[in-house]
Amino acid sequence: MFWSRSVTEAERAFVHRFFAHSLDALLPRMRLHVRRLGDTRRALSMNGGRIYMPRACFVHGDPAQSLKLAHPYVAGVFAHELLHQWQRLQGMAVTRQAAWLQVKAVCLRRDPYAYEGCDDSARMLAQFVVAQVEQQGQMWQDYVMGCVAGNADSAFSDVAAFVAGKASESGVRIIQT
């Protein structure tokens, strides 16, 4: 009833492309699930490396096959959910924070994914570090979508280095909320 599988080699290569080794501790036990409950058009990330993706994100709609990672939107959504896994490894309470943001979005009609873009990579990193979980996820999704579409935005270069663990010498750390 609750179908799942390990990540494929292509998906593993995608993870390494955008996260370098920052998800290595989680990758061996990471599981992809087809989203069957709730809003089945949206992806979902849960504790323990469980990522739920809509059926349409898989090649031929078959969850036994790989995700359509050459499609910018699918790649971006997968990267967004992977970033939530990365946030958990950084000690963030992703599920609790995201659930509260979704409730506030419904009640107050605020977009929990909205962030202010900029052209400066240092400023973008500073914004990323203080952003809440869904804003960080959206920023990362936008970056990955651009990369897959062939027009990567250089404003995300410091964010990409930070997520990949290559900016640790800068002293920037995720701020706990």
Side-chain angles (χ1 to χ4, degrees):
M1 180 173 162
F2 294 103
W3 179 94
S4 74
R5 66 164 171 79
S6 298
V7 295
T8 65
E9 284 306 313
E11 292 156 353
R12 187 178 300 274
F14 178 89
V15 171
H16 280 127
R17 175 181 174 194
F18 292 104
F19 291 87
H21 297 286
S22 64
L23 287 178
D24 282 357
L26 188 61
L27 203 51
R29 67 180 188 273
M30 189 174 293
R31 304 289 295 177
L32 281 181
H33 301 256
V34 65
R35 181 82 191 259
R36 293 178 187 250
L37 301 173
D39 184 352
T40 58
R41 295 167 292 156
R42 294 180 58 157
L44 181 66
S45 174
M46 299 301 286
N47 290 336
R50 294 174 293 150
I51 297 178
Y52 295 79
M53 297 292 288
R55 183 174 295 278
C57 293
F58 295 91
V59 173
H60 304 301
D62 179 3
Q65 295 194 36
S66 188
L67 290 168
K68 300 178 200 173
L69 296 176
H71 189 283
Y73 182 75
V74 172
V77 168
F78 184 48
H80 181 118
E81 301 310 327
L82 287 167
L83 189 80
H84 290 325
Q85 297 297 325
W86 177 86
Q87 291 166 328
R88 287 183 177 96
L89 291 175
Q90 308 306 308
M92 297 179 81
V94 176
T95 304
R96 183 176 49 238
Q97 193 178 128
W100 177 243
L101 289 167
Q102 297 302 326
V103 168
K104 282 176 39 178
V106 169
C107 295
L108 303 175
R109 292 195 167 95
R110 290 189 187 156
D111 183 0
Y113 303 94
Y115 68 94
E116 186 177 323
C118 66
D119 293 333
D120 179 72
S121 62
R123 197 167 131 225
M124 186 68 85
L125 176 59
Q127 184 177 337
F128 180 84
V129 169
V130 298
Q132 43 84 343
V133 295
E134 293 297 4
Q135 288 170 324
Q136 285 184 344
Q138 189 61 53
M139 292 168 87
W140 192 247
Q141 179 175 338
D142 292 345
Y143 164 67
V144 170
M145 285 174 56
C147 290
V148 172
N151 56 357
D153 186 344
S154 63
F156 288 104
S157 61
D158 288 353
V159 172
F162 179 71
V163 170
K166 298 175 184 169
S168 59
E169 63 276 0
S170 70
V172 177
R173 295 273 185 253
I174 293 289
I175 296 172
Q176 300 295 315
T177 57

